[in-house]
Amino acid sequence: MARARKPKKPRRTSAGNISSTFGVIRVSEEIDEIDVQRNMLALTWIDDIVNDSNGSLEYENTSNGVVAVGYLDSVKIQIDVRLCAERSLNQDYWEQGHVPAFVNSNEICIEMGDDYNHQVPDLDLCAALLMLLSSKGVPLSLYPSTLYQFMPFDKLKGMLADEDDSVVKHTLRAMGQLACAASLRQLKKTLHQAKDESFVVTALEALFYGRGINMKPYMPLLVEFSNSDNTISKVSAIEMIGLIVTPSQKEYLPILKRLIQFNDPCVFGHVLDLYIEMAQEDALQDCIHLLQYRNEIWHTFIVQKLCTIQHPLVRNFLSVRYITNSISSNEQGLIENYLNEGSETQAEKAVVEYILSRSLFALPDTTSNDDDDEEFSGLGSLFG
């Protein structure tokens, strides 16, 4: 590590800026002199904290100037004191309560808690954070939750057992931003310590969405929560199952068959898509049920997926639906394309042409013609 020169006492330059250990800090002319003096005092305080830390804190030269460096276990935290001061003393300053830093080379703003006093200068927050980093035996829950995402998994696991639910929630939220491999044993131990089912589901979401971890070992937990009485947990579990399971995993077909009966929009996305793709023509009966008893928002999606299945039963059903139902123009177009594309022989093409000409869109009165039933009674054999 390249160490900076001896700490420099903050002083005003001829241009009205501040010369400090961390570099020259630009000061806007509109800033009140009292605020300038408060920040200069904080700079002196920060130097004292670093120098009295017995080596737990250091100065480090970077391409942007000098920063104060501390460690949280193996996590390296570089606090950009100069930038923090300039945010407060310049017109490009936008919001209080943030400490600019690099954590394991990731540029972030370390955010203070909701109970932060906005009358306190941000440099005072730098000083407070440095004091935390230089102290021993400080509970991790006292650190800003912005840092949780960089903590080792075993530290997060310990925090999940904390009695303060807010700590648990912050920890779970941060888990989604930390890339590391967590074993099933670790996860189960962690999740069983959580008091609330929603915490468990949130942790699973964090692992899947935030870390991209292979979720196969956690599928039993997700399947369990897909039966939950808690709608939020149930929906989250179903959405993850739909995204995780692949069409080749036929062992999940009975589970998907159960899930599509859940009357919620979370189903008619990946879950229903996956089920129809897996089951093929065997999904037809379930699709007919859904078309009868679900909101119309489902219908176009279901018909679109059925149009990917070339099977006589599906063709017969869609032909009848085209003729005898007041379907949307989107469904009409899907079925027309499906029937035309699946017709190879001249006989099949003639039947399709006849079906399309008999649509209720073209002939509103055909439902009252008893002879039509006889005309369509033998269509199935033509598609065999």
Side-chain angles (χ1 to χ4, degrees):
M1 176 182 295
R3 300 177 67 89
R5 59 186 179 277
K6 183 178 179 180
K8 179 190 296 185
K9 183 177 180 180
R11 62 179 181 82
R12 299 296 292 272
T13 67
S14 57
N17 296 324
I18 299 174
S19 176
S20 74
T21 303
F22 305 96
V24 176
I25 300 167
R26 295 175 299 130
V27 180
S28 173
E29 294 180 358
E30 286 75 17
I31 299 298
D32 190 281
E33 184 62 27
I34 294 178
D35 287 331
V36 175
Q37 293 302 320
R38 289 169 66 191
N39 278 273
M40 291 179 67
L41 181 61
L43 287 168
T44 301
W45 184 21
I46 289 172
D47 278 331
D48 290 342
I49 293 171
V50 174
N51 292 328
D52 295 339
S53 66
N54 293 321
S56 60
L57 300 174
E58 297 178 305
Y59 298 107
E60 182 176 327
N61 290 313
T62 71
S63 59
N64 295 321
V66 179
V67 297
V69 179
Y71 290 85
L72 180 58
D73 285 336
S74 59
V75 179
K76 181 180 180 180
I77 302 174
Q78 299 169 293
I79 298 175
D80 196 333
V81 177
R82 181 196 60 79
L83 178 58
C84 185
E86 282 200 346
R87 285 183 178 179
S88 297
L89 298 173
N90 247 286
Q91 290 196 337
D92 60 1
Y93 162 65
W94 62 91
E95 185 179 1
Q96 281 185 300
H98 295 78
V99 174
F102 289 86
V103 182
N104 284 350
S105 300
N106 296 280
E107 184 176 6
I108 69 166
C109 278
I110 300 175
E111 189 172 357
M112 299 298 115
D114 295 335
D115 55 351
Y116 160 67
N117 184 346
H118 289 270
Q119 299 301 315
V120 176
D122 281 359
L123 278 182
D124 286 12
L125 301 180
C126 284
L129 180 57
L130 287 168
M131 290 183 69
L132 277 176
L133 294 173
S134 64
S135 302
K136 295 182 179 180
V138 178
L140 292 178
S141 59
L142 294 182
Y143 287 90
S145 61
T146 326
L147 292 175
Y148 293 175
Q149 59 182 289
F150 300 99
M151 293 180 184
F153 184 79
D154 60 335
K155 301 296 183 183
L156 291 172
K157 185 175 66 174
M159 293 177 69
L160 282 168
D162 195 285
E163 293 182 359
D164 183 355
D165 284 356
S166 66
V167 173
V168 178
K169 291 176 181 177
H170 284 310
T171 307
L172 291 174
R173 188 181 303 120
M175 283 174 67
Q177 303 173 45
L178 177 60
C180 73
S183 69
L184 177 61
R185 179 184 59 79
Q186 286 177 310
L187 180 68
K188 283 187 174 180
K189 182 177 179 181
T190 301
L191 299 185
H192 289 167
Q193 289 175 334
K195 308 183 194 67
D196 192 298
E197 175 183 291
S198 62
F199 291 160
V200 182
V201 175
T202 303
L204 291 169
E205 287 180 322
L207 289 171
F208 177 56
Y209 295 115
R211 300 182 180 184
I213 284 178
N214 175 19
M215 296 298 289
K216 183 178 179 180
Y218 314 130
M219 286 302 292
L221 278 173
L222 287 173
V223 172
E224 178 183 342
F225 288 124
S226 72
N227 280 309
S228 175
D229 293 330
N230 183 315
T231 301
I232 296 176
S233 297
K234 186 183 184 82
V235 167
S236 296
I238 291 175
E239 288 176 340
M240 281 188 279
I241 290 172
L243 291 168
I244 294 168
V245 176
T246 63
S248 63
Q249 295 176 293
K250 301 296 185 182
E251 65 271 22
Y252 288 102
L253 191 57
I255 295 170
L256 294 172
K257 184 178 178 68
R258 169 178 62 81
L259 295 182
I260 65 168
Q261 304 305 318
F262 180 45
N263 189 2
D264 188 274
C266 70
V267 170
F268 72 81
H270 294 286
V271 176
L272 185 55
D273 185 352
L274 186 62
Y275 173 66
I276 296 175
E277 185 174 354
M278 272 191 184
Q280 292 292 296
E281 67 274 9
D282 291 337
L284 183 57
Q285 184 174 350
D286 291 309
C287 290
I288 292 172
H289 174 82
L290 295 177
L291 287 168
Q292 288 178 326
Y293 297 105
R294 292 293 182 267
N295 189 287
E296 289 184 2
I297 194 173
W298 294 55
H299 294 183
T300 300
F301 182 84
I302 295 171
V303 169
Q304 183 178 28
K305 293 308 300 179
L306 286 175
C307 286
T308 65
I309 304 170
Q310 290 295 337
H311 189 276
L313 286 174
V314 177
R315 290 176 67 82
N316 286 352
F317 168 72
L318 291 177
S319 298
V320 172
R321 181 172 178 80
Y322 185 88
I323 296 168
T324 61
N325 285 274
S326 298
I327 58 178
S328 68
S329 58
N330 286 336
E331 281 191 60
Q332 183 188 18
L334 288 169
I335 297 175
E336 287 176 359
N337 291 335
Y338 171 77
L339 295 177
N340 282 318
E341 291 174 359
S343 302
E344 298 180 356
T345 68
Q346 288 300 319
E348 289 175 341
K349 292 178 181 179
V351 171
V352 169
E353 184 178 351
Y354 185 71
I355 290 172
L356 299 183
S357 71
R358 306 295 288 179
S359 165
L360 284 176
F361 290 100
L363 298 171
D365 297 329
T366 55
T367 53
S368 62
N369 191 336
D370 294 336
D371 293 336
D372 286 343
D373 293 336
E374 295 180 6
E375 289 182 284
F376 293 113
S377 62
L379 289 181
S381 61
L382 292 176
F383 293 115

